[in-house]
Amino acid sequence: MEAKWGLIPDMSASITLRELVRIDVAKELTMTGRTISGKEAAELGLVTRCVDDPLEEAKRVTKEIIQRSPDSVAAAKDLYQRTWVATEKDCLSTETEMQVKLIASYNQVAASARNFGMKLPYTKRQE
């Protein structure tokens, strides 16, 4: 889009785009300023998926997520935020640190029990 105005991408595009697509794709899209469809964006990995009814899809995914332990959902989000570009050593250390906090917590036990047909309620997320 910036190409149409004689500019280059800004607002961290040089960082975020390289995490999503190959360099040749980034260059082509940047230099041409070509608008792409949702389907092509999904094929390139720029969006998670392209659906006819985004609101219904968001509700469906939300229903899946809320069936999981609120502690593990929050920890998974935090894990990836903290380690996405970290060294392998730091990733593994962070995983271990976070996993130790989850193991044998009430919500982890409740999640495990659900795999055996016992529907224990989750408690409010532990911080």
Side-chain angles (χ1 to χ4, degrees):
M1 182 164 126
E2 290 88 348
K4 296 177 181 178
W5 300 97
L7 298 170
I8 60 169
D10 58 358
M11 299 182 73
S12 81
S14 62
I15 296 168
T16 54
L17 201 55
R18 72 181 181 202
E19 296 173 359
L20 299 173
V21 298
R22 299 183 323 257
I23 191 171
D24 60 313
V25 173
K27 286 180 180 180
E28 177 196 342
L29 294 176
T30 298
M31 290 184 233
T32 64
R34 180 168 63 88
T35 301
I36 61 173
S37 68
K39 182 180 179 204
E40 186 176 1
E43 290 169 358
L44 293 172
L46 292 170
V47 298
T48 304
R49 65 183 63 82
C50 185
V51 296
D52 292 331
D53 190 340
L55 180 58
E56 281 307 309
E57 180 66 5
K59 288 177 182 179
R60 185 193 67 73
V61 172
T62 300
K63 285 178 184 176
E64 274 187 61
I65 292 171
I66 63 173
Q67 296 304 309
R68 305 294 175 220
S69 161
D71 296 338
S72 69
V73 170
K77 180 180 177 182
D78 189 34
L79 173 68
Y80 290 127
Q81 289 299 121
R82 291 170 51 186
T83 63
W84 202 249
V85 294
T87 65
E88 289 179 4
K89 179 182 177 189
D90 288 343
C91 289
L92 295 173
S93 174
T94 302
E95 279 181 19
T96 301
E97 171 192 326
M98 295 175 84
Q99 193 74 289
V100 165
K101 290 179 183 176
L102 290 173
I103 292 175
S105 66
Y106 175 84
N107 283 337
Q108 190 271 316
V109 171
S112 296
R114 288 174 178 221
N115 288 300
F116 296 100
M118 299 179 348
K119 185 105 171 156
L120 296 178
Y122 290 122
T123 61
K124 185 176 178 184
R125 187 168 70 84
Q126 304 300 308
E127 304 225 17

